[in-house]
Amino acid sequence: MLIPGTADSNGGERIRNVFDIYTIIFLALAVFIFLRLRSVLGQRTGRERPPFDPYSRDTVRTPGQGNDKVVALPGRTPVEAQPRPAEAVEPTERWKGIAEPGSTVADGLDAIAKADSSFDAKQFITGARSAYEMIVMAYAEGDRRTLKNLLSKEVYEGFEAAIRDREIKGEKVETRFVSIDKSDLIGAELRGPNAHVTVRFVSQLVSVTRDSAGNVTDGNPEKVSDVTDVWTFARDVSSRDPNWKLVATEAGQ
C-alpha cells in the first residue's frame, strides 16, 4: 500500500522522465521563437536612423507652427539646391520685375548676389511678406519671444518698450490682416559683410486698441485701414545663419 504523497521508485522515475521531456519541448519552443523574432526584427548595428525629432533644427518650421517661429528669409541652401550664380544671368533679366537695370537698387542687389550667390530676390520678398505679417501680429499679441527672433536688438527694444507701456495701462491691441497688396523692393546695399534690403509694404488690416474695460481707445473694429510701412531687413552674408532680421522701420507714404 502506498501512502498518499509518496511513490514507489519505478513511478518516481517515470514522472521524472515525463518532466524531462516537457522541459526539452519548452526549451526547443523558446529557442525557435527567439530565432523567429530575431529574423523578423533584425539586429541593431549602430547605423540605424535616429528617430524623427519634430523639434530638431533641420525641421522645416512654418509660420505659426514652430516653437521659435523663425522666418528663414532666403539665405544659404544646400549645394545641390543652390541656384546658379547671379553672374550667369543676363544683367537685363537678373532682377526683372524687381528693379530696373542700372538702378541703385539693381546695383545693390548685384553686390549682394556677388557676396552670396544663393541670394534670390523673389524668394526674399516672399519671406519678407511672411515676416511682416508675423511681426505685426506678434506685436499686437505682445509675443516677445517671436519678436526677439525676428528683430535686431535696437528694434526689439523699441517694440518691447511699447508693449510694456501698453501692459502697464491695461490696454490690448486687436489686429486682423485682410491682405498685403504690395511688397516692393525699394532699396538694397552691401555694407561690408552685411546685406541690407528695404521693402515697402502696402497692406489692409483691421486694428483696434481697447482699455482695461474693453472700450475702444483707438481704431475701429469695423473699418479696414490702408497701411504703408517701409522696413529694412539685414543679414551678415558671411555667416552660416540664413536668417534676416528687421533692423529699421518707418511709416511709408
Side-chain angles (χ1 to χ4, degrees):
M1 178 181 294
L2 294 176
I3 300 174
T6 66
D8 62 7
S9 60
N10 292 332
E13 186 66 30
R14 285 196 299 272
I15 291 172
R16 281 195 297 273
N17 289 338
V18 170
F19 276 109
D20 288 341
I21 292 172
Y22 280 117
T23 301
I24 292 171
I25 292 174
F26 283 127
L27 286 175
L29 285 173
V31 171
F32 174 76
I33 293 172
F34 171 77
L35 292 175
R36 288 292 295 171
L37 288 173
R38 184 184 179 90
S39 65
V40 172
L41 300 179
Q43 305 178 55
R44 294 192 64 82
T45 64
R47 297 182 179 180
E48 293 83 1
R49 279 189 173 187
F52 174 69
D53 180 2
Y55 298 108
S56 70
R57 291 177 60 85
D58 295 331
T59 303
V60 176
R61 287 178 285 184
T62 305
Q65 295 180 351
N67 280 332
D68 294 336
K69 299 182 180 178
V70 174
V71 178
L73 299 180
R76 302 187 185 280
T77 54
V79 174
E80 64 272 13
Q82 287 185 1
R84 58 180 178 174
E87 288 77 10
V89 183
E90 289 293 329
T92 56
E93 297 293 326
R94 189 175 302 161
W95 313 119
K96 186 175 182 180
I98 297 174
E100 291 294 326
S103 66
T104 302
V105 174
D107 291 344
L109 292 175
D110 284 339
I112 294 172
K114 185 176 181 180
D116 182 2
S117 61
S118 70
F119 177 76
D120 185 309
K122 290 183 178 179
Q123 290 181 8
F124 173 88
I125 292 175
T126 298
R129 288 168 65 95
S130 296
Y132 176 68
E133 182 169 352
M134 282 183 64
I135 292 170
V136 170
M137 295 305 297
Y139 171 71
E141 296 166 1
D143 184 351
R144 291 176 171 84
R145 184 177 182 181
T146 294
L147 294 174
K148 184 170 287 188
N149 286 321
L150 296 171
L151 313 181
S152 68
K153 180 181 178 181
E154 294 77 11
V155 175
Y156 173 76
E157 289 175 350
F159 276 54
E160 200 279 332
I163 292 173
R164 187 169 61 251
D165 180 65
R166 197 170 68 205
E167 290 173 342
I168 292 173
K169 295 177 181 178
E171 296 178 336
K172 290 187 177 181
V173 175
E174 299 171 359
T175 298
R176 177 172 60 86
F177 259 93
V178 176
S179 65
I180 299 178
D181 298 332
K182 291 184 180 180
S183 49
D184 299 325
L185 201 156
I186 62 172
E189 63 177 318
L190 188 66
R191 304 176 190 171
N194 296 309
H196 289 252
V197 181
T198 302
V199 183
R200 179 190 288 118
F201 298 99
V202 178
S203 62
Q204 291 189 333
L205 54 84
V206 177
S207 184
V208 62
T209 301
R210 297 180 184 274
D211 61 20
S212 57
N215 301 312
V216 176
T217 59
D218 186 43
N220 185 335
E222 305 299 328
K223 181 182 179 181
V224 176
S225 301
D226 294 322
V227 178
T228 300
D229 287 303
V230 177
W231 286 11
T232 299
F233 299 89
R235 172 180 172 265
D236 182 347
V237 295
S238 66
S239 170
R240 297 183 64 181
D241 184 355
N243 295 309
W244 295 71
K245 290 197 173 185
L246 179 63
V247 298
T249 66
E250 62 177 291
Q253 300 297 325

